[in-house]
Amino acid sequence: MSILDTVTSVLLVHAHPDDETIGTGGLIAHLSSRGIRISLVTATRGERGEVVAGPLSAFVGTPALAEERERELERAAATLGVSERFWLGVAPARAPGLPARRYRDSGMEWIRPGLAGPAHDSDADALARAPLDDVTADLAAVVQHVRPSLVISYDATGGYGHPDHVRVHDAALAASRKLAIPYAEILDTPEADAEWFGFEAQHDILVAALGCHASQLTVDGEYIVHSGGQRDPIRTAVGLRLR
């Protein structure tokens, strides 16, 4: 039996706007086509993201970038068929009785091609610097609110080492276990102990959703060109491994 055969609702937890589309856009569109309720938690507004050269370049390092990325996420999520969205730190994705807080993008530095590590100058309110217990409590609150059949987020490496992805993995896994909700981690390549899904039928929807994140990437044929110039193939397939 497939991991996805019996799900009726899914909560995806991602670190920044565009992660939901790049990493799981095909999966989200597929689940939406089946009428499954899809909830999305995004941890930060991606304040420290680079910007594709062009009319949005002036947004780098300004509050306008976060505002633009919020709008991009709204459009992409609607395109993919997300049912409801939450910002981590804002109710119901906030521990009960606490005022809202804003987790900021922690930034990253490349250690080597394909592997990122923490930035040397992250802000005091950056997600990766927040106590793990705080992040876990906020995610537990939204898991309790949604009560999904399955929580989906990153593996222990965060996919490529970004400190925000790693923090999201650690907190989402802990929150899921606390509430006894199954947790599946996202994999980019097939592995023996995971299930591999191909969602080629969702290709056009995925491309449309990628186009919503114009500050961060462009689509060139079957490739994503990131703001820093890196090229990655558009991926409609994804692996899931239960933890």
Side-chain angles (χ1 to χ4, degrees):
M1 178 180 291
S2 168
I3 296 170
L4 301 178
D5 279 350
T6 60
V7 298
T8 57
S9 61
V10 171
L11 175 67
L12 290 104
V13 188
H14 279 287
H16 317 99
D18 80 7
D19 292 332
E20 80 296 326
T21 304
I22 294 171
T24 53
L27 170 63
I28 293 172
H30 168 76
L31 294 173
S32 176
S33 73
R34 289 173 48 190
I36 293 170
R37 180 167 62 91
I38 304 157
S39 305
L40 171 66
V41 179
T42 308
T44 78
R45 277 76 172 173
E47 296 92 341
R48 295 191 54 162
E50 298 177 339
V51 176
V52 172
L56 302 179
S57 296
F59 289 174
V60 174
T62 74
L65 178 57
E67 295 167 4
E68 177 63 19
R69 296 198 72 178
E70 288 181 12
R71 291 188 290 267
E72 292 177 350
L73 176 59
E74 181 178 6
R75 293 191 292 267
T79 300
L80 293 172
V82 172
S83 308
E84 55 186 352
R85 294 189 300 109
F86 309 101
W87 292 107
L88 188 64
V90 179
R94 180 63 166 149
L98 296 179
R101 71 180 291 176
R102 183 172 180 136
Y103 292 101
R104 290 182 59 84
D105 184 346
S106 305
M108 50 152 272
E109 296 178 0
W110 289 110
I111 297 173
R112 62 175 186 269
L115 180 64
H120 70 281
D121 59 348
S122 61
D123 296 320
D125 55 354
L127 175 63
R129 295 181 64 176
L132 178 58
D133 287 349
D134 289 1
V135 184
T136 300
D138 286 350
L139 281 173
V142 72
V143 172
Q144 181 70 49
H145 174 78
V146 173
R147 298 303 299 184
S149 305
L150 181 67
V151 173
I152 299 174
S153 192
Y154 310 108
D155 68 1
T157 71
Y160 64 100
H162 194 298
D164 286 341
H165 291 221
V166 173
R167 177 49 50 92
V168 164
H169 162 271
D170 293 346
L173 179 58
S176 299
R177 287 180 170 170
K178 178 180 180 181
L179 295 169
I181 302 294
Y183 179 94
E185 57 187 21
I186 303 160
L187 301 176
D188 294 336
T189 57
E191 296 191 17
D193 59 347
E195 191 170 359
W196 189 251
F197 301 90
F199 300 120
E200 289 78 10
Q202 309 302 328
H203 176 273
D204 291 350
I205 294 175
L206 174 56
V207 170
L210 287 167
C212 295
H213 289 291
S215 73
Q216 299 301 295
L217 59 88
T218 56
V219 175
D220 180 16
E222 292 303 309
Y223 287 85
I224 298 167
V225 183
H226 298 273
S227 52
Q230 308 96 320
R231 295 174 64 90
D232 290 318
I234 294 172
R235 292 186 286 110
T236 55
V238 65
L240 294 176
R241 177 166 55 202
L242 288 173
R243 290 288 308 274

